[in-house]
Amino acid sequence: QVQLLESGGGSVQAGGSLRLSCVATGSTYTTYCMGWFRQAPGKEREGVAAICTGGGSTYYVDPVKGRFTISRDIAKNAVNLQMNSLNPEDTAMYYCAASWEVVTARTPLVGPYNYWGQGTQVTVSS
């Protein structure tokens, strides 16, 4: 049974930093893409950042470019999201996602993703 175990998150003041981590367990196959999504109250879920095998290509939604950095440990099937210069608009529940499908690389900030984590809350106060 595949599980995505998330850690990190919490509450910070604007301008602060947080680091999210996620490990995919229960699979002997390396994930093809891993990503982070977020959903704020009253808003739709959006893809924040993703990284795919095959060059380690990274993808970011425009509002986080230059502030967030996604990285992965392929051997551990793990992905990290370093979030700097946080602002209140970054407040949301953040979800880790993993895909074993090559097709995900076409639209990595959308999917499809096979498995999802339970989410970790990020709250940024002004």
Side-chain angles (χ1 to χ4, degrees):
Q1 180 72 18
V2 174
Q3 286 187 312
L4 299 186
L5 305 176
E6 299 153 333
S7 61
S11 298
V12 294
Q13 290 190 330
S17 299
L18 286 172
R19 182 179 177 86
L20 305 182
S21 296
C22 173
V23 177
T25 62
S27 174
T28 58
Y29 297 97
T30 301
T31 55
Y32 195 80
C33 293
M34 295 191 77
W36 288 95
F37 290 72
R38 66 186 180 186
Q39 187 167 20
K43 294 186 178 181
E44 293 187 354
R45 185 178 66 190
E46 68 171 348
V48 176
I51 186 166
C52 297
T53 309
S57 298
T58 57
Y59 309 85
Y60 299 94
V61 68
D62 284 347
V64 309
K65 287 181 179 178
R67 301 189 297 121
F68 291 11
T69 303
I70 190 169
S71 60
R72 68 183 297 178
D73 184 332
I74 293 177
K76 296 181 179 179
N77 263 349
V79 65
N80 302 303
L81 185 66
Q82 179 65 42
M83 304 184 294
N84 299 327
S85 301
L86 286 162
N87 59 60
E89 289 68 38
D90 296 315
T91 295
M93 185 71 78
Y94 284 70
Y95 298 90
C96 174
S99 169
W100 281 259
E101 301 179 36
V102 175
V103 67
T104 303
R106 297 179 184 176
T107 52
L109 295 180
V110 175
Y113 283 88
N114 305 105
Y115 291 94
W116 295 80
Q118 293 189 334
T120 184
Q121 179 68 37
V122 172
T123 302
V124 185
S125 57
S126 58

